[in-house]
Amino acid sequence: GDMLHALQTTSSPSSSSSSSNNTNLFGALSKHELQTCIIPEGSFVHLGTTGELVDFLVAGGSATYNNDDGSGDLQQTKIQSFAKSIGISSKSNAFVSGFRGGDGDDSTSLVVLNSILIGNGRDKSSSIGEGTVIEHCTIPFTGGSGVDNGKIIVGKRCLLSGIRGDLKGRDLCVPSEMCLQVLPLRQGVGGFVCLCFGVNDGIKEATTLYGMDINQVLERSGLTASDLWDESIPSSRQTLWNAKLNPIMMCADEDTKWPELDFSFLEWIQSLRDDVQLDACALQGLRQWKESKRIAVCDIRECVDSEAEAKYRSTISSVEVHQLSLAADCLLGQKHEPCSFGHLADVCNLNAFKHNPVIKRAFKALDNICYEAVDEGRFHILGRTFMVLSELLSTLWCSNGDKPQPFAA
């Protein structure tokens, strides 16, 4: 705003009224003229909220999705047309296995970007709701200490970003229309911060929290304004932007590359959303959230390790995604082509298996293929899948730390 007021136009001089608090800016810009370039037949879509961003990405990647928010068919068509014109797709550098919704008939209503999502295909208890966007995630398939997770349930119209590592506990349940983002913190602060709010919450106000009336959240949880805001912030300036809502999650073993993170604090939010009494687990989650060190969105930029986050996102290898996708397509599609796991050539080491997420994901993907084949009565697929599993185990066993040769079965 100050920049626009400081510039001149052909019909009016610059205005110093809004720039009184920044005389240097006014002095530098007031001699210059504001000029705009209008693109003939151009199109502009303003995405002012998290919810609008989610709908934009999902509509761009789907031919059928409509969030039915009453905005009208014309607006929905405009958003969808604009998204498609710039190349938005429902899946990019992504592999999904073991989830209902994520790899089922309604997968076109999801957007998965730069992510590897491998759930527990054994009982198909994990699911992803329609209208959800997932980016930069390596959704964990094991609980603490390598135990198979119970379930991972993501509700409808959610935004998940940066979820990684193993779960502390057995389940991860994200309520519908929630945003959950995990970011690493700089050294000296340590751990990760978990941003958690409703996709329709107004960040510049304090009207709703987690998609509910904020006064109801405070009343039912027993929280007070002093739990969310510093005393230095007057009530007239209290917003979600400066509320201490986002807990810092410490790593039990200080492994920031493959951490074990605890999302059990979500249970009390889920209970409020379900309008049920907070049980013992929910109360424990609320107590954990309240006792944790929390930071506000306005302070996150100073604490987040942007370099570490960029490095993590780059480790979600397009080669691994491609190889996992090819293997699943080759085995389930019964194609007469090599089922290659060449991307493991640089990481195959039996001694490192326990702590190597790439090897874990390969085995879990093959495990899910077996369960899917059995579930569909396609038992003839199992023979070749077991052969691939056997070859992979043999390569790990024989490597002994040496670089093995890529194999195919």
Side-chain angles (χ1 to χ4, degrees):
D2 287 346
M3 294 178 62
L4 295 178
H5 279 282
L7 293 166
Q8 303 179 36
T9 67
T10 54
S11 59
S12 63
S14 59
S15 172
S16 61
S17 59
S18 298
S19 304
S20 57
N21 295 328
N22 198 334
T23 55
N24 291 333
L25 178 66
F26 179 77
L29 297 179
S30 60
K31 301 176 183 179
H32 300 277
E33 183 177 331
L34 172 65
Q35 296 183 348
T36 59
C37 178
I38 300 175
I39 302 175
E41 300 182 5
S43 181
F44 173 78
V45 174
H46 178 256
L47 305 174
T49 67
T50 304
E52 290 175 351
L53 173 62
V54 169
D55 293 338
F56 172 73
L57 292 173
V58 175
S62 170
T64 58
Y65 175 72
N66 191 327
N67 72 344
D68 195 25
D69 62 354
S71 60
D73 293 338
L74 183 61
Q75 177 68 4
Q76 186 75 13
T77 300
K78 180 181 179 182
I79 290 176
Q80 186 170 335
S81 175
F82 188 88
K84 288 186 178 297
S85 70
I86 60 175
I88 297 293
S89 63
S90 61
K91 186 178 289 187
S92 176
N93 192 38
F95 177 77
V96 182
S97 171
F99 285 86
R100 288 182 290 110
D103 51 3
D105 294 336
D106 57 348
S107 60
T108 54
S109 65
L110 305 175
V111 172
V112 185
L113 309 172
N114 194 42
S115 298
I116 300 176
L117 316 178
I118 305 181
N120 189 349
R122 183 172 304 172
D123 55 8
K124 286 286 187 178
S125 59
S126 297
S127 63
I128 305 174
E130 65 176 1
T132 285
V133 175
I134 298 178
E135 61 171 14
H136 315 306
C137 289
T138 47
I139 293 290
F141 63 87
T142 59
S145 303
V147 179
D148 263 356
N149 64 284
K151 57 186 175 183
I152 299 173
I153 298 179
V154 182
K156 297 180 179 181
R157 199 166 171 255
C158 290
L159 172 61
L160 267 61
S161 179
I163 312 297
R164 68 201 78 180
D166 280 334
L167 291 177
K168 183 179 181 181
R170 291 183 59 82
D171 297 340
L172 171 62
C173 299
V174 183
S176 292
E177 298 194 332
M178 290 288 291
C179 173
L180 202 67
Q181 182 176 23
V182 173
L183 294 168
L185 299 175
R186 295 174 180 170
Q187 290 185 354
V189 181
F192 294 78
V193 62
C194 181
L195 282 75
C196 181
F197 51 88
V199 297
N200 293 320
D201 290 343
I203 201 72
K204 298 180 181 179
E205 55 190 25
T207 305
T208 63
L209 177 59
Y210 308 133
M212 300 170 285
D213 182 275
I214 193 169
N215 293 320
Q216 293 183 6
V217 173
L218 296 177
E219 179 181 351
R220 293 191 56 203
S221 65
L223 297 172
T224 64
S226 61
D227 291 316
L228 306 184
W229 290 282
D230 291 330
E231 295 180 356
S232 60
I233 302 176
S235 58
S236 60
R237 296 184 54 201
Q238 292 175 353
T239 65
L240 300 190
W241 173 255
N242 52 33
K244 296 179 293 183
L245 295 171
N246 311 291
I248 292 179
M249 308 167 73
M250 304 304 295
C251 306
D253 56 359
E254 298 184 356
D255 183 358
T256 57
K257 293 182 179 179
W258 192 250
E260 184 178 273
L261 300 178
D262 189 354
F263 292 94
S264 58
F265 72 90
L266 289 169
E267 295 203 22
W268 72 274
I269 300 174
Q270 179 73 65
S271 295
L272 293 183
R273 291 285 300 271
D274 292 341
D275 197 22
V276 298
Q277 189 72 24
L278 273 64
D279 60 15
C281 291
L283 289 172
Q284 173 62 28
L286 174 59
R287 187 159 47 249
Q288 172 190 333
W289 181 89
K290 189 174 180 179
E291 294 175 354
S292 67
K293 182 178 180 181
R294 289 169 278 115
I295 55 180
V297 175
C298 62
D299 297 323
I300 284 178
R301 186 173 64 176
E302 300 177 359
C303 305
V304 166
D305 190 335
S306 301
E307 184 177 350
E309 176 63 12
K311 187 175 181 179
Y312 157 72
R313 295 182 181 186
S314 69
T315 62
I316 304 176
S317 166
S318 59
V319 175
E320 180 184 1
V321 170
H322 182 66
Q323 294 280 18
L324 290 174
S325 300
L326 280 180
D329 182 57
C330 182
L331 292 170
L332 291 172
Q334 305 175 70
K335 296 184 177 180
H336 298 288
E337 299 173 2
C339 186
S340 173
F341 281 85
H343 69 289
L344 298 179
D346 294 326
V347 297
C348 275
N349 186 329
L350 189 62
N351 297 324
F353 171 77
K354 181 179 179 181
H355 302 289
N356 195 306
V358 179
I359 298 177
K360 283 184 176 182
R361 289 195 288 263
F363 273 102
K364 189 60 181 179
L366 290 170
D367 190 50
N368 283 348
I369 289 172
C370 291
Y371 281 110
E372 183 173 342
V374 171
D375 187 54
E376 297 176 356
R378 303 166 66 192
F379 302 105
H380 52 285
I381 292 176
L382 297 177
R384 188 181 182 191
T385 306
F386 287 147
M387 184 174 67
V388 174
L389 279 166
S390 175
E391 185 68 22
L392 180 53
L393 282 168
S394 176
T395 302
L396 284 168
W397 183 260
C398 296
S399 64
N400 292 319
D402 297 326
K403 182 176 178 181
Q405 296 299 315
F407 64 85

